[in-house]
Amino acid sequence: MNKASTILLLLLCMGCAQTTTPPQESETTQNTTAPASQPAAAKPQSTDPEMDKFINDLLAKMTLEEKIGQLNLVSVGFDVTGPIVSENVDENIRKGNVGGVFNTFTPVAVRKLQEFAVNNTRHKIPLLFGYDVIHGHRTIFPMPLGLASSWDMQAIERSARIAAEEATADGLNWVFSPMVDIARDPRWGRVAEGAGEDPWLGSRVAEAMVRGYQGDDLTLPNTAMACVKHFALYGAAEAGRDYGTVDMSLQRMFNEYMAPYKAALDAGAGSVMTSFNEINGVPATGNRWLMTELLRDQWGFDGFVVTDYTAINEMMAHGVGNEGEVAALALKAGVDMDMVGELFLKELGAQVKNGKVTEEEINLACRRVLEAKYKLGLFQDPYRYINEERAKNTMMKPEFREAARDIARKSMVLLKNEKNALPLKPSGTIALIGPLARNQRDLIGNWSGAGDWKQAVSVEQGIRNAVGSKVRINYAKGANITDDAQMIRRLNAHGGLLELDKRSSEAMIKEAVQVARNSDVVVAVVGEAQGMSGEAASRADIGLPGQQLALLKALKATGKPLVIVLMNGRPLTLNWEHENANAILETWFAGTEAGNAIADVLFGSYNPSGKLTMTFPRHVGQVPIFYNAKNTGRPFNGEELNKYTSRYMDVPNEPLYPFGHGLSYTTFQYSKPQLSKTTLKGTELLEIQVDVRNTGNYDGEEVVQLYVQDVVGSSTRPLKELKGFQKITLKKGESKTVTFKLTADDLKFYNNEMQYVYEPGEFRVFVGTSSRDVQEAGFRLE
């Protein structure tokens, strides 16, 4: 069989029998395959002989039922993220049928369940306590897409460190974060929860989040085990609809999507969560190629794998088996813990008796769960995370809130600033208009966990805090976030707290226009409700909902300067807004200190420095749209009458705002990149230098971005790929020389034979302020 035939066979096998051997880092894909039904291999001894002995001794004492019980994760308490709440929890804990609990926190609640487990089970095995700590626990930081827009890894790590401090003080030891799914379709609501569209930047964010949560020692009472999700490819769901099908080539998978998962694991993440979607015909939760052959055999992951909420049960709807069959499929794939569905608990005993699974496979899954508890120090002290005094002294400390304010400022992106409309003068009269101007609930976003929205600072309050009586504020709501009664019912059924103003849209807009006419400048705070993004929150229309655009048009007609402050969980289509507003500030859902941070930016006490990590399309018809696309054989060359090129007839190909875009109150001038050599050999280092000068009237920060293009390859390559960035601070008039370093290893990719290689040939480097606004130079790799 030739190599081309082998690759084709492997691709086909991956979609049917899951027998693909994972691609090799530097060798061709192996031709041997292993049957999907083979028993799980015995776990190799770890580098911790004391842990191995402890776990071996414990496993030898446990019954089969007790081992299966450790694989059961139940939901108890304050929050439900799915349709099922676990029943008979106390009784199951007493029987040893529970290995972990999620949605329960506070020292009092956690202690009650932990004591029950330790005092009422034969082996006194402590429980894991997990929760969706996504962008903060009590102190809420910007949503993850906003955090990534800071391009500040220290700030991102700091947000995760504070989240871990608070979560562990609240009795938790396991956080379901980071979400590292690459996403290119803003219709998908969960783009809010990730780092955007680029695998290189996503990898850096993943590493920072894991470091923040786990620190250097998981046994410390202020560190929590991270859970990387969703493995894998969840962000590539068809049509941008949550839980949708994923089907893609291995080459695209490994070049464009897999890197952030691997980076998070290399940073030490202790657990992995499966994704809901199928991958090339096999649900991820039952995909042995994904969960064992790739994750463990090739990548060397030695932590444990938990499903997402009832993901094993949902494989029945996928059509791959009944309850017993999908339970066996998940276990044999490499899943260790069943979240809420309880099919492991219900079915695995019978599956052992009928020979569909072995006790050795259950031992291996149980071992991994017990090892996680050992690594967290729970066998040494089951109550190490339970301290009411610590909780009292930790939650929302002033320094935590100050960090939240600073990080929120860093996350904001100035999309437009015509004729220096911003910053505002701290004088005169401001028309503060919009459904989100006084809002608190939506500021903390859709994954705000234990956050208290009543503690959030509104935009109006933030402005008052910033300028006091020096500025007169005239307020009008102007519009509801949405007038769609069905949408409001859906959102409010899940904590939306939307209140519909009973006045007509015409009356509300008329009031807002009058307020605007009596003011010097209009600040319109518009966007989405928090529940319009996040899980199960896909949107087909990604423009401003309701009558908000009509409101903006009426405000523009007053002739007063129009500043738009956006709050949203995804890139929006903003064509009219871009053409007509004087300034647009993207603030995402910025968290507890949102209002103060927004005021800091509006009035210039902080100069915005955020950059987009996800492309903003002009029209939803362009979606998916992303900067690191490939060329076609007929690229559009700008000739309007040249029909037979790759283009739209009704809108431009280009996005409204590209990846990496973000303005400042000052301006920066770049020199042409200078290369240390024009020919690079495999073991050498290439230095790229560029001079950046602050040519404006403010001190400011700039994210200097480095992109590379492999001009000719054995397979087609993207037009640009991010390979580095530096965030620098320049005083007014100051210049700095920024140096990037590249080696041949930075130019590697997975070729048609799934070899991870670099190839000799011509390369271009691009340096600039965004993926679109760059200067280039070239070199040759030999």
Side-chain angles (χ1 to χ4, degrees):
M1 182 181 293
N2 62 33
K3 289 182 178 179
S5 299
T6 301
I7 295 298
L8 177 60
L9 176 61
L10 292 176
L11 290 170
L12 291 172
C13 285
M14 190 182 139
C16 50
Q18 313 163 58
T19 58
T20 309
T21 302
Q24 304 300 302
E25 290 285 314
S26 58
E27 303 293 337
T28 58
T29 304
Q30 299 174 8
N31 293 335
T32 57
T33 58
S37 60
Q38 69 175 13
K43 178 178 172 63
Q45 292 294 297
S46 73
T47 56
D48 187 341
E50 290 187 10
M51 178 179 72
D52 290 335
K53 183 179 186 307
F54 180 89
I55 301 299
N56 289 339
D57 291 346
L58 181 55
L59 281 170
K61 300 172 186 176
M62 297 173 69
T63 65
L64 176 63
E65 291 73 20
E66 289 169 335
K67 294 171 186 174
I68 293 172
Q70 287 298 305
L71 314 186
N72 188 30
L73 177 64
V74 301
S75 174
V76 184
F78 310 95
D79 187 23
V80 178
T81 57
I84 298 173
V85 177
S86 304
E87 298 179 355
N88 304 317
V89 172
D90 288 357
E91 184 62 23
N92 274 330
I93 292 176
R94 187 189 304 275
K95 292 179 179 179
N97 287 341
V98 176
V101 173
F102 88 108
N103 287 336
T104 293
F105 54 91
T106 73
V108 172
V110 171
R111 179 177 287 278
K112 178 181 177 181
L113 291 177
Q114 193 70 291
E115 285 181 343
F116 197 83
V118 171
N119 295 335
N120 290 280
T121 58
R122 279 202 321 141
H123 303 296
K124 304 184 183 303
I125 299 174
L127 299 168
L128 291 169
F129 286 89
Y131 194 54
D132 281 307
V133 179
I134 307 302
H135 52 108
H137 182 60
R138 299 285 189 174
T139 304
I140 304 301
F141 295 89
M143 67 183 216
L145 189 62
L147 285 173
S149 297
S150 72
W151 295 60
D152 189 325
M153 298 305 117
Q154 289 183 334
I156 292 170
E157 182 175 341
R158 175 71 171 146
S159 75
R161 177 88 297 277
I162 291 172
E165 291 271 359
E166 291 189 335
T168 55
D170 231 1
L172 299 165
N173 45 52
W174 184 24
V175 296
F176 301 149
S177 177
M179 189 192 98
V180 301
D181 304 308
I182 295 300
R184 295 167 164 178
D185 191 333
R187 295 174 298 180
W188 188 52
R190 297 195 85 167
V191 301
E193 198 180 337
E197 69 191 43
D198 182 75
W200 190 90
L201 182 63
S203 296
R204 307 292 79 77
V205 173
E207 293 162 348
M209 294 291 284
V210 171
R211 288 194 303 266
Y213 290 134
Q214 295 194 170
D216 297 322
D217 185 352
L218 271 178
T219 65
L220 295 177
N222 65 346
T223 59
M225 182 171 285
C227 186
V228 180
K229 63 184 189 184
H230 305 85
F231 197 60
L233 313 181
Y234 188 34
E238 291 177 352
R241 208 167 56 239
D242 217 346
Y243 319 121
T245 297
V246 174
D247 196 302
M248 70 170 65
S249 69
L250 281 175
Q251 193 177 31
R252 167 164 276 193
M253 193 183 299
F254 282 87
N255 281 329
E256 302 174 28
Y257 285 87
M258 286 296 195
Y261 304 110
K262 181 66 161 56
L265 299 180
D266 289 345
S271 64
V272 167
M273 184 182 292
T274 69
S275 57
F276 286 117
N277 53 282
E278 67 172 67
I279 299 174
N280 295 357
V282 181
T285 300
N287 195 317
R288 180 174 174 81
W289 172 82
L290 186 67
M291 297 299 165
T292 295
E293 294 176 23
L294 175 63
L295 181 63
R296 298 192 185 279
D297 296 346
Q298 174 144 345
W299 287 0
F301 176 63
D302 65 355
F304 77 102
V305 175
V306 62
T307 72
D308 209 332
Y309 207 105
T310 66
I312 297 176
N313 311 58
E314 292 166 29
M315 286 198 289
M316 291 186 287
H318 279 285
V320 295
N322 59 28
E323 288 187 343
E325 290 167 337
V326 296
L329 185 63
L331 183 74
K332 299 179 85 65
V335 169
D336 304 310
M337 186 170 260
D338 176 6
M339 184 188 287
V340 176
E342 300 201 333
L343 285 188
F344 274 3
L345 190 66
K346 178 181 178 182
E347 298 291 340
L348 286 186
Q351 294 298 307
V352 171
K353 290 179 181 178
N354 66 24
K356 299 297 184 181
V357 301
T358 67
E359 186 165 358
E360 287 73 21
E361 290 170 322
I362 292 171
N363 287 345
L364 182 54
C366 182
R367 173 184 293 276
R368 291 168 179 155
V369 174
L370 295 175
E371 285 180 352
K373 296 179 180 185
Y374 187 97
K375 293 172 184 176
L376 286 165
L378 291 172
F379 286 109
Q380 184 182 54
D381 179 7
Y383 310 108
R384 68 171 59 244
Y385 299 93
I386 304 170
N387 185 316
E388 292 184 57
E389 187 64 22
R390 181 184 161 217
K392 179 181 177 182
N393 294 332
T394 299
M395 304 303 173
M396 300 188 77
K397 292 195 292 189
E399 55 263 44
F400 289 177
R401 293 197 66 143
E402 185 54 41
R405 179 174 181 167
D406 183 54
I407 294 170
R409 296 183 304 201
K410 293 175 184 294
S411 74
M412 295 175 188
V413 183
L414 185 61
L415 298 176
K416 179 184 180 182
N417 195 25
E418 183 179 78
K419 297 180 180 179
N420 298 317
L422 290 177
L424 300 173
K425 297 178 181 178
S427 61
T429 303
I430 291 176
L432 183 63
I433 296 171
L436 291 162
R438 286 180 169 173
N439 184 283
Q440 291 175 275
R441 170 61 191 96
D442 294 293
L443 297 180
I444 63 173
N446 56 80
W447 276 114
S448 46
D452 180 1
W453 63 266
K454 295 176 184 177
Q455 297 291 321
V457 180
S458 70
V459 175
E460 181 182 43
Q461 188 59 54
I463 291 175
R464 294 189 188 280
N465 292 343
V467 296
S469 60
K470 292 184 289 185
V471 171
R472 180 180 175 184
I473 299 174
N474 296 328
Y475 168 79
K477 185 174 182 180
N480 295 306
I481 294 176
T482 178
D483 297 295
D484 184 332
Q486 183 182 47
M487 175 72 77
I488 292 170
R489 285 195 299 272
R490 288 175 179 171
L491 294 172
N492 285 346
H494 298 277
L497 302 180
L498 268 72
E499 295 182 1
L500 186 66
D501 195 302
K502 301 300 183 182
R503 295 175 293 170
S504 68
S505 295
E506 293 78 9
M508 296 173 71
I509 291 174
K510 181 178 180 180
E511 177 191 49
V513 166
Q514 187 60 44
V515 166
R517 285 174 176 158
N518 294 330
S519 305
D520 300 319
V521 62
V522 176
V523 175
V525 189
V526 295
E528 298 179 305
Q530 51 82 23
M532 291 178 175
S533 61
E535 186 173 354
S538 298
R539 291 183 63 201
D541 180 352
I542 56 173
L544 287 175
Q547 295 299 308
Q548 294 181 83
L549 181 55
L551 169 64
L552 294 177
K553 290 180 178 180
L555 295 174
K556 174 67 176 180
T558 66
K560 297 300 174 78
L562 176 60
V563 174
I564 297 176
V565 174
L566 293 171
M567 295 182 185
N568 43 285
R570 56 164 54 79
L572 300 176
T573 50
L574 300 166
N575 291 307
W576 185 93
E577 295 86 337
H578 176 74
E579 292 297 326
N580 292 277
N582 298 91
I584 304 176
L585 179 65
E586 174 61 85
T587 72
W588 315 107
F589 295 120
T592 304
E593 287 289 321
N596 285 331
I598 290 168
D600 288 342
V601 174
L602 289 177
F603 289 95
S605 61
Y606 182 83
N607 188 350
S609 61
K611 302 278 188 176
L612 298 178
T613 62
M614 194 169 181
T615 301
F616 275 49
R618 295 176 183 273
H619 190 280
V620 71
Q622 294 177 304
V623 169
I625 185 170
F626 45 96
Y627 88 93
N628 49 349
K630 295 182 178 182
N631 220 338
T632 72
R634 293 185 176 185
F636 178 57
N637 60 6
E639 296 181 12
E640 287 297 326
L641 299 182
N642 187 354
K643 178 178 180 179
Y644 296 102
T645 58
S646 181
R647 61 179 296 194
Y648 298 103
M649 295 183 70
D650 50 353
V651 296
N653 285 1
E654 293 74 24
L656 182 62
Y657 302 120
F659 177 89
H661 172 75
L663 305 177
S664 169
Y665 293 153
T666 192
T667 54
F668 300 98
Q669 184 180 74
Y670 283 70
S671 68
K672 184 177 175 62
Q674 299 297 315
L675 308 185
S676 61
K677 56 189 69 178
T678 56
T679 301
L680 177 66
K681 295 183 179 178
T683 58
E684 295 178 339
L685 183 72
L686 173 68
E687 290 192 349
I688 304 105
Q689 290 190 335
V690 61
D691 294 330
V692 183
R693 181 177 178 83
N694 183 340
T695 55
N697 296 318
Y698 296 86
D699 298 345
E701 296 172 284
E702 170 70 335
V703 178
V704 184
Q705 301 161 43
L706 171 70
Y707 299 88
V708 171
Q709 181 190 15
D710 187 346
V711 179
V712 177
S714 60
S715 61
T716 58
R717 306 292 298 125
L719 292 169
K720 288 189 184 79
E721 292 180 286
L722 183 71
K723 292 296 181 181
F725 72 90
Q726 291 186 37
K727 192 166 188 176
I728 61 173
T729 300
L730 292 174
K731 294 186 178 299
K732 176 183 175 181
E734 183 182 6
S735 293
K736 283 186 179 178
T737 298
V738 176
T739 302
F740 294 100
K741 297 179 180 180
L742 282 179
T743 69
D745 284 343
D746 296 312
L747 308 174
K748 285 184 175 181
F749 68 101
Y750 288 94
N751 65 14
N752 287 324
E753 296 181 354
M754 294 309 295
Q755 298 168 305
Y756 190 54
V757 298
Y758 56 80
E759 295 178 342
E762 298 297 325
F763 287 80
R764 296 190 183 110
V765 295
F766 308 87
V767 182
T769 188
S770 75
S771 60
R772 179 176 60 194
D773 303 309
V774 292
Q775 297 189 67
E776 69 176 87
F779 69 93
R780 181 172 181 82
L781 176 64
E782 293 185 347

